[in-house]
Amino acid sequence: MAGEPQADCLFCKIVAKEVPATIVRETGTTVAFRDINPQAPTHVLVIPKVHYPDAAALAAAEPQVIADILRESREVAAEDNVEDTGYRVVFNTGSGAGQTVFHAHLHVLGGRGLQWPPG
């Protein structure tokens, strides 16, 4: 069922504290943790505690939760001291865009120059 935890989802297991992660922030609706394969000095994933396969599905079903994720991305940037120097927020939606875990999540990247267009 949409929004319900999925037994085979890595991020649902992180939310449930069944899989360890370096959690940097947690709210009633979100969890933020360090990426295990960082692409920048700051590389934190912000995920909803509810399960939706991607950002588009989450936005359609629970727009307040996607707003919570965006708000938390700013908090992560502030705590990692990249808010003033610049940071990027990325939602990869679908395997063609690089999504590998099909639980909606936002990447917060910063701490180095980020080129445009992205690769």
Side-chain angles (χ1 to χ4, degrees):
M1 176 177 230
E4 297 296 319
Q6 303 295 304
D8 62 343
C9 175
L10 173 62
F11 290 174
C12 287
K13 290 177 182 180
I14 289 173
V15 169
K17 308 287 193 280
E18 295 170 4
V19 170
T22 304
I23 295 174
V24 296
R25 291 187 57 80
E26 185 169 1
T27 71
T29 58
T30 67
V31 176
F33 55 93
R34 302 244 176 242
D35 194 291
I36 62 169
N37 184 27
Q39 301 300 303
T42 292
H43 190 169
V44 174
L45 302 178
V46 184
I47 67 171
K49 289 184 174 179
V50 292
H51 180 92
Y52 288 91
D54 57 43
L58 176 61
E62 301 198 39
Q64 184 55 51
V65 176
I66 207 160
D68 294 345
I69 291 170
L70 286 167
R71 187 174 19 267
E72 280 303 299
S73 72
R74 185 214 160 262
E75 296 297 330
V76 166
E79 288 183 5
D80 261 30
N81 297 312
V82 297
E83 183 181 29
D84 293 335
T85 58
Y87 62 98
R88 181 172 291 164
V89 295
V90 177
F91 282 108
N92 296 323
T93 301
S95 59
Q99 185 178 5
T100 58
V101 177
F102 291 88
H103 180 120
H105 59 284
L106 175 149
H107 297 257
V108 180
L109 299 148
R112 68 166 175 82
L114 300 169
Q115 304 303 310
W116 193 260

